[in-house]
Amino acid sequence: AELGGGSQELDFKSESKVILTVPARQMEAKLKLDVTKDPMWLDITIPIPIAPGQFQDHMMPHLFEFNEDYTELHLMGPPDQGMQAGIPLRRPTFIDKESKSYVKMSRGAAKASNEEKDVMGVVDELKGKGDGEKMIKYCELLTKKLKDAVKSSGFKFEEPQQHWPEQEIKDKYTSMLKMSQYIFLLEKHFGQALCTNVSNIIKTGQVVSDPTLAEAIAELRKIMIVTNMHKEEAPPAVPTPATTSFGVNQGEKKSLPVNQVSVAAPPPSSGLSALSLVLFGALGASAVLGIFYLLFGSSGSKQKKK
């Protein structure tokens, strides 16, 4: 089934836990099965963002069945058009293979898209390089993607207005989903720690010692402001010079050259990087819910099951 421009995977870890990978995010979800029903019931509960840094569990009721040799999973999602925090979704009454809520999942991991292969190729070329050089390339890739989108369609992360035509609203959600998917690919292959450090530098306005990295981050900050991914509420304060693990001046110590920059692991989180949280904050809760609806209950991407 085609469902939004990317693959969806369900990696069943146990009878109560599943790793859900969708075009723009990977997350751990709660799983509940009832095989006594006909068709069988499969409930997936995910944490959905209701505000920056705030999440609420949301259960999505499904029906499912296997084909004769158990190589395919037929999954029927909720019929509701979208979802809102705190409002339960209805369980479908039967598996309708003509419905937009139906997907056929096959065994095995999804193949990498051409776009993902390009990112993987860049990361492969950076093997053995320092984290500073990797941060520069990450900034350059994301900056180019955002600038190209702005040039071609005036892209920005924003909540669609109710008076917009239905197709315009769908196009807006689709464009935000595709951009979110690309950001996820970068995080997946460059590493969440590195991407989070870049986001923290942008958010706090910390001074970067290496001029090439500083320029790359400055360009990314500019386009993030244009696309509503970052809001400059006030000019960043000039920090007291010293040295951090990723090449930011803060004391009288010498800053690290770009080939010695290292990335510290981020603290435990909900699975969303700081950049993702910035993105969610720019969208607003209802826009995020709309994107999650596109991920789970409309027509458009291959879906596979591990």
Side-chain angles (χ1 to χ4, degrees):
E2 294 286 311
L3 203 127
S7 63
Q8 177 178 313
E9 295 182 25
L10 296 177
D11 185 0
F12 296 97
K13 296 298 185 182
S14 70
E15 292 184 1
S16 60
K17 176 181 171 181
V18 62
I19 303 299
L20 177 64
T21 304
V22 292
R25 183 55 45 204
Q26 183 178 77
M27 70 194 80
E28 181 178 310
K30 299 175 185 176
L31 177 67
K32 183 178 179 181
L33 302 172
D34 188 344
V35 297
T36 66
K37 305 293 186 182
D38 186 17
M40 295 177 284
W41 288 12
L42 182 153
D43 297 337
I44 296 174
T45 300
I46 61 170
I48 61 172
I50 56 176
Q54 297 181 27
F55 298 83
Q56 179 174 321
D57 280 352
H58 195 83
M59 192 269 281
M60 296 176 294
H62 293 74
L63 300 177
F64 76 100
E65 64 183 13
F66 294 100
N67 65 344
E68 292 182 357
D69 60 2
Y70 292 91
T71 58
E72 294 178 353
L73 173 67
H74 301 275
L75 193 64
M76 185 71 190
D80 302 279
Q81 299 299 301
M83 59 185 184
Q84 299 179 28
I87 300 179
L89 296 175
R90 294 177 297 147
R91 187 183 304 279
T93 56
F94 66 101
I95 295 177
D96 179 4
K97 295 183 180 180
E98 301 300 320
S99 170
K100 291 182 178 181
S101 298
Y102 165 78
V103 292
K104 181 175 70 173
M105 307 186 80
S106 57
R107 187 179 298 276
K111 295 180 180 179
S113 64
N114 289 334
E115 189 169 57
E116 182 169 12
K117 290 177 182 177
D118 290 341
V119 172
M120 292 167 65
V122 171
V123 173
D124 283 343
E125 292 176 359
L126 290 169
K127 284 182 178 178
K129 303 291 186 180
D131 287 326
E133 292 180 70
K134 294 176 183 177
M135 291 168 76
I136 291 170
K137 180 55 68 174
Y138 166 79
C139 290
E140 290 176 346
L141 289 177
L142 183 52
T143 298
K144 183 179 186 306
K145 186 73 172 180
L146 290 169
K147 283 186 175 181
D148 288 348
V150 170
K151 183 178 180 180
S152 64
S153 64
F155 173 83
K156 67 170 61 175
F157 285 101
E158 61 182 341
E159 188 169 348
Q161 302 300 306
Q162 292 183 350
H163 64 271
W164 290 6
E166 182 178 350
Q167 186 59 47
E168 187 175 346
I169 292 174
K170 185 174 182 180
D171 290 344
K172 168 59 70 174
Y173 280 138
T174 300
S175 66
M176 291 191 293
L177 172 60
K178 288 181 177 179
M179 185 61 70
S180 301
Q181 180 181 4
Y182 186 74
I183 293 171
F184 171 63
L185 290 180
L186 293 180
E187 291 178 356
K188 177 180 176 182
H189 295 289
F190 277 88
Q192 187 177 334
L194 183 145
C195 300
T196 298
N197 275 338
V198 171
S199 179
N200 287 339
I201 294 171
I202 291 173
K203 182 178 179 181
T204 62
Q206 291 172 295
V207 177
V208 178
S209 60
D210 179 77
T212 306
L213 178 57
E215 182 180 358
I217 288 177
E219 287 299 308
L220 178 56
R221 180 188 287 114
K222 288 178 187 177
I223 194 63
M224 285 177 67
I225 292 172
V226 171
T227 56
N228 285 344
M229 288 182 67
H230 175 68
K231 184 176 181 181
E232 203 95 283
E233 296 183 354
V238 177
T240 304
T243 304
T244 72
S245 61
F246 47 91
V248 178
N249 281 340
Q250 290 185 16
E252 303 212 353
K253 300 178 182 178
K254 293 182 180 179
S255 57
L256 294 174
V258 68
N259 62 353
Q260 294 181 20
V261 174
S262 62
V263 174
S269 69
S270 63
L272 297 170
S273 73
L275 186 58
S276 299
L277 292 177
V278 169
L279 183 152
F280 283 135
L283 285 178
S286 61
V288 171
L289 292 177
I291 285 184
F292 269 89
Y293 166 61
L294 280 179
L295 298 181
F296 296 111
S298 70
S299 62
S301 107
K302 279 188 187 175
Q303 311 215 3
K304 302 208 177 220
K305 167 184 166 288
K306 285 185 178 181

